[in-house]
Amino acid sequence: MKTVEIRHPLVRHKLGILRDTATGTALFRQVVGEIATLLAYEATADLALNDIVIDTWAGPLSVGRCDQAQITLVPILRAGLGFLPGVQVLLPSAPVSVIGLRRDEETLQPQAYYQRLVHDIAGRTALLIDPMLATGGSAIAAIDTLKAAGCRRIKAIFLVAAPEGLRALEAAHPDTEVFVAAIDSHLNAHGYILPGLGDAGDRIFGTPSP
Ligand code: PRP
Ligand code: URA
């Protein structure tokens, strides 16, 4: 499985802000968006361009224009929504498909609760968006759904991934291309990534556990 860990100093700097428990909801969401833009930049490095001829001050010129209709953005609800605006900075016209999954915190199994995919997804590259890859169960379930809908090319961006999740994803879907800001140490006994970010959805949405 192609796996790219973005080790750019700006990404590492911003991840340090996210890891800090002193970082509040508004700054956390802002920085998640900034890293999402940088990850999306890397993940779209091979985006196909169409040649078109435009008029310039010096006469006609052939330029490349990217066709965002070749892509659908696929945030995994809920935390993926916090990642979406940063990706849309670069791909504002790409249609959005959503997959709702909630991890059962006892069994660590993903439970599906919502799905709405763009109708012609089979002809598009899906860019799966979720801040966290922990056990890998949610990403695997989302990619199962995308492939069942006919999707053949899937890229995924995560803020933080655990080695356990990457191994599980590679075993289930080795054809996925993964772009991640950090590959962390391991999962704890409750399936949380260490050092990780804590519960990314709760931090993005300001909903700490009681
Ligand atoms: C988090 C995260 C991933 C999933 C990762 O979502 O955003 O979707 O857990 O865990 P896994 O790799 O072990 O499946 P969560 O289920 O907590 O829901 P939320 O986005 O609503 O907070
Ligand atoms: N979900 C999160 O938000 N964080 C983790 O560390 C694991 C799953």
Side-chain angles (χ1 to χ4, degrees):
M1 180 172 73
K2 175 180 175 179
T3 304
V4 179
E5 184 183 18
I6 313 293
R7 299 199 55 80
H8 192 289
L10 281 175
V11 170
R12 297 173 69 186
H13 165 80
K14 290 175 192 298
L15 263 174
I17 295 172
L18 296 184
R19 293 193 198 275
D20 189 340
T21 55
T23 299
T25 304
L27 180 60
F28 190 89
R29 207 165 39 229
Q30 176 195 318
V31 174
V32 164
E34 290 168 0
I35 299 178
T37 304
L38 295 168
L39 285 169
Y41 176 78
E42 294 286 345
T44 52
D46 61 354
L47 200 61
L49 296 178
N50 296 324
D51 288 331
I52 61 161
V53 177
I54 60 164
D55 290 323
T56 75
W57 70 277
L61 181 71
S62 177
V63 296
R65 188 151 291 177
C66 80
D67 175 11
Q68 297 182 29
Q70 65 188 285
I71 291 180
T72 181
L73 309 180
V74 190
I76 299 180
L77 306 180
R78 168 189 65 156
L81 285 182
F83 229 30
L84 181 63
V87 177
Q88 287 176 313
V89 167
L90 298 184
L91 297 166
S93 326
V96 178
S97 305
V98 300
I99 296 177
L101 294 170
R102 182 188 303 112
R103 192 175 78 157
D104 181 311
E105 294 302 338
E106 296 294 322
T107 65
L108 301 184
Q109 294 305 306
Q111 299 174 330
Y113 60 88
Y114 185 72
Q115 166 182 326
R116 183 146 185 190
L117 308 180
V118 65
H119 70 92
D120 56 355
I121 197 164
R124 298 170 184 272
T125 296
L127 184 56
L128 190 68
I129 298 171
D130 193 337
M132 308 304 271
L133 181 79
T135 65
S138 301
I140 291 168
I143 294 171
D144 288 344
T145 297
L146 292 171
K147 287 187 175 174
C151 208
R152 286 183 299 278
R153 184 154 193 225
I154 299 163
K155 300 185 180 196
I157 62 174
F158 305 100
L159 271 178
V160 180
E164 295 91 328
L166 286 170
R167 284 196 291 272
L169 185 55
E170 176 158 33
H173 295 297
D175 50 349
T176 305
E177 296 171 49
V178 172
F179 299 83
V180 58
I183 300 173
D184 273 6
S185 173
H186 64 282
L187 298 177
N188 72 10
H190 304 288
Y192 275 78
I193 302 171
L194 292 176
L197 303 173
D199 190 307
D202 284 348
R203 295 192 69 192
I204 287 168
F205 289 100
T207 55
S209 305

